[in-house]
Each structure stands twice: as structure tokens, then as C-alpha cells.
Amino acid sequence: MSHGRGRVWAGSGKRMHWFALAYLLLAFPCMGFLPNFWSRVLTMSWDSHTHQYITERAILNVTLETLMAISKHQHNHAGEQTGLGRSFWRAVGEVVKSNAAMDFLSSTRSDPVYHFDSERVDSAMVMLRQFWAHTLLSVRAKEYQSARHSLGQLFHSLQDFYSHSNWVEMGQRSIYLHLLQPEEPAFPVAEGDTPTCMECFSATCRDNLLPRLAHRRQPPLLLTTGYFSTSPPKPEGKCSHGGILDSSRHKGAKGGINKDSTSPLFSPHHYLHVEAASLATEATLSVLRDLRDTVGHTSFLKLFSVKQAPALVFVMDTTGSMFEEITAARLRAFSIIQSRTGTPEQPGTFLLVPFHDPGVGPVYETDDPNQFMNYMENLMALGGGDEPEMCLSAIQLALTHSPPLSEIFVFTDASPKDAHLFSAVKALTLEKQCKVTFLLTEDPSHTLKGRGGRGKRSREPLSPDRFSLYSALSAVSGGLTVFTTNSDIHRVSTIVEDNTAADKVTLLHVESDHDLMSSHSFRVDSSVKTVTLHVTGNLIDCNLTSPSGRSQSLLSEQGPLAESERFKGLYRIGLLSPIQPGQWSLQARTDGHLTFNIIGDSNVDFLYYFATVANETHPGLARVEGSPIAGVPAFLVLAVTGLAPNEEASFSHVTLLGANGESLQQVWLNSSSPSSSSYSGEELVGRVDSVPRVPFCVRLSGRDRRGNKLERVSTEMIQPTHVQIQVLSVPRLVPGHSTMVHFDVLNHGPARLFNLTADDDSGYLHQRGPHSIPVAERGSIRGQVDLHTPATAEAGGTVTLTLTVRALDSPDSNYAVAYLTVVPPDPDMSPPSCSTPQVQRSCPPQCSNSLWSVSLAVSDRGRSGLAALQLHQGEGVLTLFHSPPPTADSLGEDRPGPGQQQADGDRTTGGSHHHHHHQHRHEARLEKGDAPVNVSEWAAGSSQPLWVRYTSSCCAPQAELLVWDGAGNMRRCHLSSGQQRQQRDRSTETNGTGKITLTSFPLVLLGLLWPPLL
């Protein structure tokens, strides 16, 4: 199976710069497992397990485990699966980013509740369960970005528990179930006046916990967590977090208990780091499996954008003059659906946003291609009359509903009436890395325009630059603006098929605004299968030269190198097969604006972000939100995606390219681990000595194992700036209540005035602005925006808040995007419960020809009531009853086995459940593999229990029942042939050294596929 990661290494051979060591001397305290890979550099503990590593490894394993289960169920071979895809790694990166942000945001980095510090265990558990509830809400509402944000927060706090508490020191070798399951047994937390630690005067603190808090003492044991710094103050005799950067370690009891790293300088209990990391990994795996089993395999894979083909997103002007454009879009959609349905290239999401004036929407979103075609068939070109339309409002809606990395196609012949939204729309395109391409059936040189239905047109003066905002948006996002005609729109729309193909990569994207001859080059490597050139503008001359020196004019339709199609406003050129690897060149002359966009068919691509060294409470690289600051150093972190497991490549540097393709700066890359590391797919890190002061894109350069050069281009244009806006916290929205979102504006230039504008996609903001705010030279100012959530708001929905700031005396601007989740005011977070199983028949020493049976009651103590049950594991039969089940005397009717006769015709397979009501006997019978059975109508009240009986061969002594309530809370009920309740059956286990044994998937894959970021 190809999972999209091969072996990648930095080819520059350069050492890490001296600034890492210098920073180490200046860094402030560290809390929790180290945030990310760079923390291991700063603490010189290369073998430490970071939050990033634990999170990525767990997500990868449960995803592969899920795909294998689906393949087995569908009788497919795992080897036939395609790669996980670039979108998967970006989705994983969003979880990792949210996890790491807990250590970097001012609102969370020093709050002990988020990190299980200072014995705030009860409050931290409440927070942890809220994160779980919010994640579940968002997934069920298909708000996957919000779900990834909550999940990252949950993982951070959960993982911190095992590093900051004395759980490992208590001798525990399994995870603490009570953290997320309140009905599981709980350990008492040490009272505020109870001493927990003894004095320790060395870097390594062994046996510094008092007997009641370590495995040296018989139960009952007490839980404790270390105090950090001075907030809150540490009482005398309590344990500190510890390490050279924790000021509380000097106050008695001196020392500390954290297991964040393998370095004794930072972690007094460094010798237990591997055990703590193993339990944190197991806990993370457990959450992911619970989430998958609660929301279902399909939603789980969508949450992480697994093997997600590009979405098909249309924004359609539906005024009366758009008949030909709507017809072209409809035919193009039909062509894509007809050719890709049932293949890996079928779009995972279909989105249609119609607009005119003043109406916008609604948003038609589906994963059903037939339903999408129904939406397209129902579009009608009606009305109109004036020229500008609400186009940017429609694009904003499309962006908020589209998955990241989508390309949005806009069909219109009108300029925007809502130009005030440009900054917000631009921010969303950059934040979600979406491209916007405009197909305009209008000549921009026209100064009079007729619009409306046939026979009903008006004439009005038009600005010659009325489409400039469209051109600016497509340029900054890496899309195209094509000016064509009604007669050519159908053929021009072929770029929709070209650009939504799976495994599409960009080889070149440049723009030119001059009339002189321009020269550009692009490189084709052995992984590229097809190459297509899109050229917008009016070419006077254009020649293509192959690596061997052969040339062809692209103004001719046929030649030795390529086939060319020319439409009004667009040239579409396809290189002929076989395509020669190497450097190709283009020489072009135009009489106006020209855009070259060259795409290829290849798995190999990359993701990247800018980061700065965090020097607050946690050493690591903090991701730059929004645009980077011009003229100052920064780090560029990249991850290569799509390499096969047996494929090797080296990447030496990136080049920062200006808008016209000119080289601005080269950045040499280093590996994120020592050169001896056997891990693959790590981040490659480069130090940008000074971020350019002009817009630029990123080109990655390297070589494959054959020595052939590789190049990939990320086409969005980075907009360097001298101002930042940072959202300090992302609160939840409660229906019927107002919420404040706080932010800081940081000015990296001279004192000046800025305009601040806020926008949201739901109309909850009290004031949108613009608001004029003065900020001192290299100063900052704190502000807030207020939102009111109506009482009718649906729980689980997401409100996208966009904040933009722009200097009044310069082009400096920046943005921040926050996703706010609507949560119920008093959510039901109590899962269903299972009574202690009562053994009705036990097993003899020999299992053959013998049965065991247990019965138990399931109920829900919350307000939601029981919703569904499923037999998740086990080879027997589960029978459901309204009242307590029959005694063992009647168990013969439940006897499982190939020769068992169906009792009363109600035996089920494949999820087809038969329900019975006569004589108050069994209502349904389940086997492993059956779909969950809906029991919401059986248990009329929230406290109404159901009884279940499970019967199985003694040769299959374990089983697992899943029970859901109406709020989506899930409970795992573990059944065993023995009389005592068994520990949770897991697909991970810990051995004596604390290493995780991944029994559900070979560990060797992790060595191959250890993912980076992003």
C-alpha cells in the first residue's frame, strides 16, 4: 500500500545554525510533552516523544487500521489502496497545529487547567470532556475543520496528564479511563494541604514522591500533578513540574516530577519519559478509535480528508444574461461526473453557490453526484438589469463550505457589487489555500454593458478596471482570470476538468505585465505523467523548447512536442507522450497581461508554513498565522507528500519567487532530525534570513534517487507585511448569548493608523467596521469583537470569523481566521452505562462444544436516552430484551454456530434486525458485523433500561458491546467468559520497556511513514 510517504532527507548537508544553541540559553520554561520536532533541537533530546510525534503516529495508525477494515469488509486487497493524499497530511497538520497552540497561545499556555498542572485534575477533566463533546458535535455537523481544532486541544491535555502526573510512578501500566469516562473508577486527588513530594537536590529526582503517591505503597494511592512557576503559588511540600526553567522547583519540596523529555535538565523524571509517552500514545489511539466507532468509518475518514479527490465547486451568476455560461457549467459538471463516478478521482464534495443581486445562495452541498446534477439542472438565468452583482459574497460562502486546497470556479459577466468583502475573501483563500479561477464572458474594455433577460436590456457606463478585484484574487490564490465569450465558454471550461484532476501538481505559475519577450522554464521529472499548459492573455509569439533542444511554436495546433487549442482568452496546450524528463523552456511575447500555469499529473507534492522560535513558556517553533513579517528572519517548514514507501528523494533548497517568476532568495534545508535518523517523511526546515518585502511563492527543488531534478511550486502568493493580528482565544458560541473574541494588533513599523474590519458568515457580529485604530511604533493594541448567537442557532454549526487589518498609509495588511463552534448551553456529556455482567453460564477448562453466557442492563442517566447498540467484537450472538432476560434454562435458543437453527425467524446477518414484541421476549439479535440497531423508540424514557444477553462459544471468551445515547456519547461494554470484569480490550499494549506494540498494524509502517506536520 502506498500511503504517500517515502524517505526524504535534506540534501544541503548543512548543520543547524548557532541560533538554536543561543536560544537554548534564553528559552523560558517548558510545560507538557515538548510541542514539536524543533523542541528536541532546543533541548538537545533527540529521542524525546513530542506532542506532534504522538499525535501524528496515532492518527496515521488508526486511519490505516480503518482502511484495512473497510478493505477486508469489501474483500479488497490492502495493496490496491491508493495514497492517503496531500489533503490528509494537511488535515493531520491542523490537529497538530491546534495541539501545539495550547503551548503558544497566551490564553492557554500558562493556564494549569489545560495542562493538568497544579493538581487541577478535576477542572482539567471537565475541560477534556468538553473538548470531546465539541469534537463530536462538529463531526456530526460535518464541520470538520472545527472538529480538528477541538481534537487537537483534547489530545494536548490528555497527553499532558501522563507527563505531568504521578500516574506512571503509581505503577500504572494502562491508561486512566476515568479521564473521559466518568463512570470508570476514579483515583482520589491529593488535598491542597497534603504533602506529595520529598526534597530533591539533583537534576534527576528518583523516589521523591511520598509513599502514598508511588507504587511503593499499597492502595489507596493518591493522584497529584506538579506545580509550575508561580501561578498558582505552590504550597509547601507539593511537587513541582521541575526542570531548569521552572521557578517553583526552588520552593520545598525542591525538584520535580515531569516526564516531558529525556533530558534531565528539563525533566527530573526523564527516566520515565518513554513509559509516559507510551501511555499518552495509547490514550490518543483510544480516543481516535472511540471517535471512529461513534461517528462511523465514513465520517472518520472525511474528518481527516483521507484519499480525498478535489472538490467540484461552482459559483454561478444566475442573472438573465448567463444562459450560455450556466449551460457550459452544467455540461462540464456532467462530463466530470460521467467520467469519474466510481473511480478514485470522483470528487468527494460537490458545491454550488448561485448569486445575482441582491440574492446570494443558498449553498447546495452534497457528496452525491446525481444530487449535484439535479441542483445544476434547476439553475435558471433570470432577472438582472444592472451590472454589478454580489459575487464576492457568493465566493465567501463557497470558501467557508469548501474543504481546504479546493479550487473554486466562478462563472459571471459582472463586476462585484460587494467590493468591501475583498479583504475577507482574500484572507479565506490564503488561510484555506484555495484557488479561485474566474471565467468571465465579458470584454473588460467595454464601457457600456447590457444586462437582463432577452429583449429586456439596459445600457450603463462601466469602469474599465471593474474586474481588477477578480484578477487580484486569482493572482494571490494561484488561480486564473479568463476573459472569454459566450461562444467559447464551453470549450474554455475544460480547465475545470484539468484543474480538478486527482494528483495534480503545479510545475510553473508566473504572471507578466510587460510587452517584452519573457523567458520561463519548468522541470519535468520521472514521476510526472501528463503536462498541461494554460496560458491566459493574448500571445504574439510563444515557443516551447524541450530538454533535448527541439522547439515548437505554441501558436500552431500541432507539432512534435505538443497539441495546442486556442480559445478566446485561453490557450490550452498538452505535451505529447512520452514526455522527456528535464528542463523545458518557454519564450513568449504578449501585448498585455499574461499568465502561465503549468500543471502535471504526479503524486509528489509538498506542504509548508512559516514559523518563528517561541520564547515564552514552551520552546519550539510557533506557526505564523496570517502573512509573515517582512524584513525579519523566519523559519520555513516543509513536508513532502506522495512519495511511495520504497521511493527516496533529497531536497536541498527552496527558492522564493516573485510574481514574475524571478528568484528573490534561496533557502537551504535541514532535516528535522539527525542525519542518522531512520524516520521518513520528516519536516525539512530552512532559515529565511530576511523575509522578502514583495509578494512571493515557494518552489521546492531536489533530486530523486536516480539523480533527476525535482521541482514543485506552491502557487499562492505570500503577502509579506509589517502588521500582525492575533486571535487570543477561540470561545464557543452558546445560543441566546453574546460572546467576545479578543485579539491583538501588533505594529512592526512606525506609528500609524490602521483600519480593522470584522466579518462572519452568519451575521452574528454586532459591528463589522471598518474601525480606525492608532498603534504606536513597534507597539500593540488589544481589541475585541462581539457576536450574538441567536437562540435558534443549531448546535454543532460553525461560524467563520475573519479579522483583517490594513494600514491607511501603506499596502501593509494582515488577517486572522477563527472557527467558532455553536454548543448547547447545557450539553449531555454523560455516556450510557452498563451494569456488571451476570454470568448465566461459565466455561469448563476445555472450550470446545461449550457455551458461556452473560446478561446485563444498559441505560442512560443523561437526558438523551438510549439511541443505538452494536456488537463490535465477539463471535457469538447478542440478544436484546425489554425486561430481564430468561434464565440459563432457555439458553439453547441462542446457541451460536454454523448449524444453529434460526429461532422464530429473527436471526440476523448483515445488519438486518428483526424485532419481536410477543410475550415480552427478545427484540433483536445481533452478530459482529451487523449495523447498529436503533433502540431510541424502545426506551421511551431517558432512564428506561434495556437488557441484553450475550452467548458465545467458550473458545471465543471476549466480546465488546457499543452503546450510544441520543447526544452521541458512546460506552464500550466489555464482556468476558470469566466472572470478574475485564480491562478494556485494546489493539495496543505496553511491554516492560514502555514501547507501544501496534498489534493492529505493523510497526514497520511507522518507520516508513512517520509523517511531518503540517
Side-chain angles (χ1 to χ4, degrees):
M1 180 190 291
S2 171
H3 305 295
R5 298 285 172 159
R7 186 178 177 192
V8 184
W9 68 92
S12 67
K14 289 178 178 268
R15 298 290 182 186
M16 288 295 178
H17 296 274
W18 61 267
F19 55 81
L21 213 35
Y23 170 74
L24 181 62
L25 303 176
L26 300 174
F28 289 169
C30 168
M31 295 165 57
F33 286 109
L34 303 175
N36 52 38
F37 71 92
W38 195 252
S39 309
R40 297 187 295 197
V41 178
L42 299 177
T43 60
M44 295 180 291
S45 55
W46 288 105
D47 53 348
S48 293
H49 293 232
T50 65
H51 282 294
Q52 176 181 354
Y53 175 77
I54 293 170
T55 301
E56 289 171 341
R57 184 169 68 161
I59 294 175
L60 175 63
N61 271 272
V62 177
T63 299
L64 296 179
E65 179 185 290
T66 304
L67 289 173
M68 288 186 68
I70 292 174
S71 297
K72 183 178 179 180
H73 181 70
Q74 297 176 347
H75 306 291
N76 292 334
H77 296 292
E80 296 173 358
Q81 299 291 340
T82 57
L84 294 175
R86 184 168 176 248
S87 295
F88 169 79
W89 298 113
R90 191 189 191 280
V92 172
E94 289 182 27
V95 180
V96 170
K97 180 181 76 169
S98 175
N99 187 323
M102 299 278 276
D103 282 339
F104 299 137
L105 290 175
S106 60
S107 59
T108 57
R109 65 189 176 212
S110 300
D111 188 335
V113 173
Y114 289 98
H115 306 280
F116 274 95
D117 285 330
S118 308
E119 297 186 321
R120 301 298 196 266
V121 176
D122 291 338
S123 298
M125 283 194 294
V126 171
M127 182 72 69
L128 205 62
R129 292 164 189 170
Q130 287 177 350
F131 288 150
W132 167 259
H134 298 160
T135 301
L136 206 57
L137 266 176
S138 295
V139 173
R140 291 185 177 278
K142 299 184 179 181
E143 298 286 358
Y144 298 120
Q145 279 192 282
S146 295
R148 292 190 283 265
H149 177 74
S150 297
L151 191 61
Q153 293 178 308
L154 187 158
F155 285 158
H156 186 98
S157 297
L158 181 67
Q159 293 158 5
D160 272 359
F161 171 79
Y162 297 97
S163 176
H164 295 179
S165 73
N166 63 325
W167 184 257
V168 174
E169 289 85 345
M170 290 166 62
Q172 301 294 333
R173 292 297 177 262
S174 59
I175 63 175
Y176 189 26
L177 299 179
H178 181 70
L179 293 178
L180 282 166
Q181 299 178 29
E183 293 189 0
E184 291 288 344
F187 281 84
V189 180
E191 297 290 341
D193 58 354
T194 301
T196 55
C197 267
M198 297 179 286
E199 300 284 356
C200 171
F201 299 98
S202 62
T204 299
C205 294
R206 295 183 184 271
D207 299 329
N208 62 326
L209 282 158
L210 291 174
R212 284 200 66 190
L213 294 102
H215 62 83
R216 302 187 304 276
R217 171 71 178 263
Q218 293 298 317
L221 297 173
L222 294 178
L223 263 179
T224 188
T225 64
Y227 282 74
F228 181 78
S229 190
T230 59
S231 180
K234 186 181 80 169
E236 190 71 25
K238 289 292 187 180
C239 299
S240 287
H241 179 83
I244 62 173
L245 302 174
D246 176 17
S247 60
S248 77
R249 78 187 191 281
H250 298 299
K251 184 177 180 181
K254 297 180 176 64
I257 63 170
N258 92 72
K259 296 162 283 293
D260 294 345
S261 73
T262 57
S263 169
L265 294 177
F266 295 89
S267 300
H269 284 199
H270 60 92
Y271 53 91
L272 295 175
H273 169 77
V274 174
E275 285 84 347
S278 296
L279 289 173
T281 301
E282 187 177 353
T284 306
L285 288 165
S286 176
V287 167
L288 286 165
R289 291 184 178 118
D290 283 352
L291 180 61
R292 176 194 62 196
D293 293 338
T294 299
V295 303
H297 286 41
T298 300
S299 293
F300 180 83
L301 295 179
K302 285 185 177 181
L303 170 64
F304 293 109
S305 302
V306 177
K307 297 190 294 183
Q308 176 179 283
L312 183 61
V313 186
F314 285 163
V315 175
M316 295 295 310
D317 184 344
T318 59
T319 47
S321 60
M322 291 293 294
F323 176 80
E324 289 86 355
E325 293 88 335
I326 292 174
T327 301
R330 187 181 292 141
L331 293 174
R332 190 59 56 195
F334 179 76
S335 174
I336 291 173
I337 290 170
Q338 189 177 45
S339 62
R340 300 181 188 176
T341 296
T343 72
E345 291 196 357
Q346 176 178 320
T349 300
F350 299 88
L351 202 69
L352 171 65
V353 184
F355 72 94
H356 47 88
D357 180 22
V360 177
V363 178
Y364 298 103
E365 183 176 2
T366 182
D367 55 7
D368 182 354
N370 295 323
Q371 182 64 57
F372 183 72
M373 281 310 304
N374 288 337
Y375 295 148
M376 294 296 297
E377 293 292 343
N378 290 332
L379 284 182
M380 298 185 67
L382 295 173
D386 57 346
E387 198 275 343
E389 306 289 354
M390 304 293 284
C391 184
L392 294 181
S393 298
I395 297 173
Q396 182 185 37
L397 272 180
L399 284 164
T400 56
H401 286 81
S402 297
L405 305 177
S406 297
E407 184 154 359
I408 295 168
F409 298 93
V410 183
F411 293 77
T412 186
D413 61 358
S415 59
K417 189 174 187 177
D418 43 6
H420 63 281
L421 288 177
F422 176 78
S423 293
V425 171
K426 174 184 168 183
L428 285 172
T429 62
L430 293 173
E431 196 276 334
K432 300 188 78 167
Q433 292 181 280
C434 289
K435 296 180 182 179
V436 184
T437 289
F438 293 89
L439 304 179
L440 302 172
T441 50
E442 170 68 340
D443 188 336
S445 64
H446 288 174
T447 58
L448 289 176
K449 171 66 178 175
R451 287 190 49 93
R454 289 190 175 97
K456 185 179 180 181
R457 295 184 175 267
S458 62
R459 308 290 292 182
E460 56 190 70
L462 301 174
S463 169
D465 63 349
R466 62 191 181 277
F467 297 113
S468 61
L469 292 183
Y470 296 163
S471 299
L473 189 59
S474 65
V476 77
S477 67
L480 297 170
T481 297
V482 183
F483 292 97
T484 187
T485 63
N486 286 341
S487 58
D488 273 356
I489 183 61
H490 176 64
R491 293 187 297 168
V492 166
S493 67
T494 55
I495 66 170
V496 177
E497 293 196 52
D498 295 338
N499 290 4
T500 57
D503 299 325
K504 177 201 64 177
V505 298
T506 302
L507 305 177
L508 177 71
H509 186 92
V510 294
E511 298 194 10
S512 177
D513 286 309
H514 48 73
D515 298 337
L516 302 177
M517 180 71 74
S518 60
S519 298
H520 307 285
S521 64
F522 63 96
R523 189 169 295 279
V524 176
D525 57 79
S526 56
S527 73
V528 177
K529 300 176 182 63
T530 63
V531 176
T532 304
L533 291 73
H534 295 140
V535 186
T536 66
N538 187 28
L539 288 172
I540 297 175
D541 189 22
C542 186
N543 289 295
L544 174 69
T545 304
S546 71
S548 62
R550 299 185 70 183
S551 295
Q552 174 187 334
S553 171
L554 295 183
L555 298 184
S556 59
E557 293 185 0
Q558 188 70 45
L561 302 178
E563 291 181 342
S564 178
E565 297 177 277
R566 181 178 181 179
F567 318 122
K568 175 64 176 176
L570 178 71
Y571 300 83
R572 182 177 181 269
I573 300 119
L575 297 192
L576 297 176
S577 183
I579 302 172
Q580 183 181 358
Q583 181 168 296
W584 294 67
S585 61
L586 288 162
Q587 294 80 37
R589 188 156 55 94
T590 179
D591 61 359
H593 185 85
L594 183 73
T595 303
F596 275 107
N597 188 62
I598 303 178
I599 57 177
D601 179 13
S602 171
N603 292 323
V604 182
D605 209 339
F606 73 101
L607 296 163
Y608 73 97
Y609 64 89
F610 285 89
T612 57
V613 175
N615 60 355
E616 295 295 335
T617 58
H618 306 81
L621 280 186
R623 179 172 177 152
V624 172
E625 299 297 331
S627 299
I629 301 303
V632 301
F635 288 93
L636 186 58
V637 185
L638 299 97
V640 178
T641 66
L643 287 173
N646 60 348
E647 191 172 359
E648 294 182 352
S650 64
F651 294 92
S652 57
H653 66 280
V654 298
T655 306
L656 309 184
L657 303 173
N660 295 324
E662 71 277 18
S663 175
L664 302 176
Q665 187 179 154
Q666 279 195 346
V667 180
W668 297 98
L669 299 175
N670 296 277
S671 173
S672 62
S673 287
S675 58
S676 60
S677 172
S678 63
Y679 289 124
S680 63
E682 301 147 304
E683 285 97 340
L684 301 176
V685 187
R687 186 176 191 267
V688 182
D689 294 327
S690 178
V691 174
R693 299 178 184 273
V694 297
F696 64 90
C697 65
V698 177
R699 183 179 69 199
L700 174 64
S701 299
R703 293 180 183 272
D704 61 21
R705 62 182 176 182
R706 301 180 186 88
N708 299 319
K709 290 186 177 180
L710 285 162
E711 286 184 355
R712 294 291 184 271
V713 177
S714 184
T715 53
E716 63 269 15
M717 297 299 293
I718 303 299
Q719 310 285 304
T721 185
H722 293 90
V723 62
Q724 284 179 290
I725 182 166
Q726 298 177 344
V727 176
L728 302 180
S729 63
V730 182
R732 267 64 183 186
L733 305 179
V734 179
H737 292 75
S738 293
T739 305
M740 291 184 296
V741 177
H742 298 274
F743 60 88
D744 282 342
V745 175
L746 297 86
N747 179 19
H748 295 264
R752 50 191 169 161
L753 283 174
F754 292 91
N755 266 353
L756 175 80
T757 303
D759 199 271
D760 75 291
D761 61 338
S762 300
Y764 293 177
L765 279 166
H766 284 294
Q767 292 183 323
R768 298 176 179 272
H771 307 282
S772 181
I773 52 173
V775 187
E777 180 178 358
R778 302 198 176 278
S780 65
I781 189 169
R782 181 158 296 181
Q784 68 182 47
V785 292
D786 300 323
L787 302 96
H788 181 76
T789 308
T792 56
E794 186 174 351
T798 294
V799 175
T800 302
L801 174 67
T802 307
L803 302 175
T804 57
V805 60
R806 176 177 294 276
L808 298 184
D809 62 347
S810 74
D812 279 338
S813 65
N814 215 328
Y815 65 90
V817 179
Y819 301 97
L820 311 178
T821 302
V822 179
V823 301
D826 186 20
D828 176 7
M829 295 191 294
S830 299
S833 63
C834 300
S835 67
T836 302
Q838 300 297 316
V839 177
Q840 293 190 333
R841 178 177 292 177
S842 58
C843 287
Q846 297 296 325
C847 69
S848 58
N849 299 320
S850 299
L851 300 176
W852 64 277
S853 180
V854 296
S855 62
L856 67 155
V858 294
S859 60
D860 182 47
R861 297 179 181 176
R863 301 178 305 276
S864 305
L866 294 173
L869 290 90
Q870 181 183 36
L871 182 62
H872 187 244
Q873 298 291 340
E875 303 302 322
V877 175
L878 187 77
T879 311
L880 276 61
F881 298 86
H882 259 308
S883 55
T887 63
D889 296 336
S890 58
L891 291 181
E893 68 181 46
D894 292 328
R895 182 181 183 89
Q900 177 181 343
Q901 299 296 315
Q902 294 187 2
D904 299 326
D906 65 322
R907 175 74 179 274
T908 65
T909 57
S912 176
H913 311 293
H914 296 260
H915 303 160
H916 293 257
H917 300 276
H918 60 281
Q919 299 178 358
H920 300 282
R921 298 298 298 277
H922 47 274
E923 298 295 335
R925 302 174 70 184
L926 305 174
E927 295 180 359
K928 186 177 72 172
D930 290 348
V933 59
N934 184 351
V935 298
S936 58
E937 296 181 358
W938 301 5
S942 62
S943 59
Q944 178 77 22
L946 289 176
W947 282 264
V948 300
R949 184 179 66 214
Y950 179 74
T951 305
S952 176
S953 165
C954 288
C955 296
Q958 302 284 341
E960 182 179 71
L961 169 67
L962 304 185
V963 187
W964 290 273
D965 67 12
N969 300 304
M970 184 190 71
R971 177 76 171 184
R972 293 181 184 271
C973 304
H974 300 275
L975 311 177
S976 171
S977 60
Q979 292 191 17
Q980 62 183 22
R981 196 172 184 184
Q982 302 293 313
Q983 278 189 341
R984 176 185 294 231
D985 180 31
R986 300 189 176 278
S987 57
T988 62
E989 57 187 25
T990 57
N991 59 24
T993 63
K995 290 186 178 180
I996 290 292
T997 303
L998 297 160
T999 60
S1000 62
F1001 204 84
L1003 181 59
V1004 67
L1005 275 176
L1006 290 179
L1008 286 171
L1009 303 176
W1010 187 87
L1013 103 251
L1014 180 103

